[in-house]
Amino acid sequence: ASARATSPYTGEAIARDDFRRIYAAAEERALMDYKQNKKLVPMARVLRKRMTKEERRLWFEFLRLYEVRFRRQKVIGNYIVDFYCAEAQLVVELDGSQHFEPEALERDAERTAYLEQYGLTVLRIPNSEVVRNFFGVCETIDNAVRTRLGSPAH
């Protein structure tokens, strides 16, 4: 039998290992929130309202309902990422055709390097994949989350 702790939020008994994992994820979320550029928050709100059709589909048909919480248009540092899962330390970026221009590729590489310095994994997915292979994209994201959390795929 594993040791039990009491959740300060619900008063329910939970396994100490689960409590440590949940607490560590909450600490990490607080750390990432601290790094956000508050000046970008209004723009993130605008982007949430003006999501591309691929972002809307991925959000409303998969990520919003996913068992591990994702946020959309999340400010991290000086960037607004398309989707962010704090618990898995995963960023999902949907890339339109403009991202394949040489200058955009360079900017995306800088952005990815910046996010990776905080221990985040960045998953870049072309918009065309969301259109052509939606269920494959969902499976790729699910596998990435499970890998990051150390959970078996199902």
Side-chain angles (χ1 to χ4, degrees):
S2 70
R4 310 291 286 171
T6 302
S7 167
Y9 304 108
T10 64
E12 295 175 19
I14 57 175
R16 282 203 194 278
D17 289 342
D18 289 340
F19 182 78
R20 284 189 188 109
R21 182 182 55 78
I22 292 165
Y23 185 76
E27 271 190 329
E28 189 64 36
R29 278 194 297 275
L31 180 63
M32 290 309 297
D33 287 343
Y34 179 73
K35 291 183 182 91
Q36 83 176 6
N37 179 340
K38 302 243 186 263
K39 293 177 184 174
L40 292 177
V41 172
M43 180 54 131
R45 284 190 194 111
V46 168
L47 291 173
R48 274 194 232 52
K49 291 177 183 173
R50 296 183 183 167
M51 290 170 36
T52 66
K53 65 182 179 186
E54 294 84 5
E55 289 170 340
R56 277 194 308 274
R57 181 170 187 204
L58 187 60
W59 176 250
F60 287 108
E61 294 182 30
F62 182 64
L63 294 177
R64 183 175 65 103
L65 308 169
Y66 191 68
E67 62 194 82
V68 180
R69 184 175 185 201
F70 272 85
R71 293 177 176 248
R72 58 189 168 135
Q73 306 304 335
K74 171 74 173 145
V75 177
I76 299 177
N78 290 321
Y79 297 102
I80 301 171
V81 301
D82 292 336
F83 302 102
Y84 171 64
C85 178
E87 189 174 345
Q89 295 294 281
L90 179 68
V91 170
V92 177
E93 289 284 292
L94 297 188
D95 293 340
S97 59
Q98 72 277 11
H99 285 267
F100 301 103
E101 301 292 326
E103 285 180 18
L105 288 169
E106 188 175 317
R107 279 192 310 271
D108 286 346
E110 289 171 12
R111 175 186 178 111
T112 296
Y114 175 85
L115 296 168
E116 287 175 343
Q117 78 180 348
Y118 294 109
L120 301 175
T121 295
V122 179
L123 192 58
R124 302 196 84 83
I125 300 170
N127 280 343
S128 58
E129 272 304 295
V130 175
V131 173
R132 282 194 311 252
N133 185 18
F134 181 72
F135 295 108
V137 166
C138 296
E139 186 175 21
T140 297
I141 294 169
D142 180 58
N143 288 337
V145 169
R146 291 183 185 287
T147 298
R148 296 285 292 175
L149 295 178
S151 304
H154 55 79

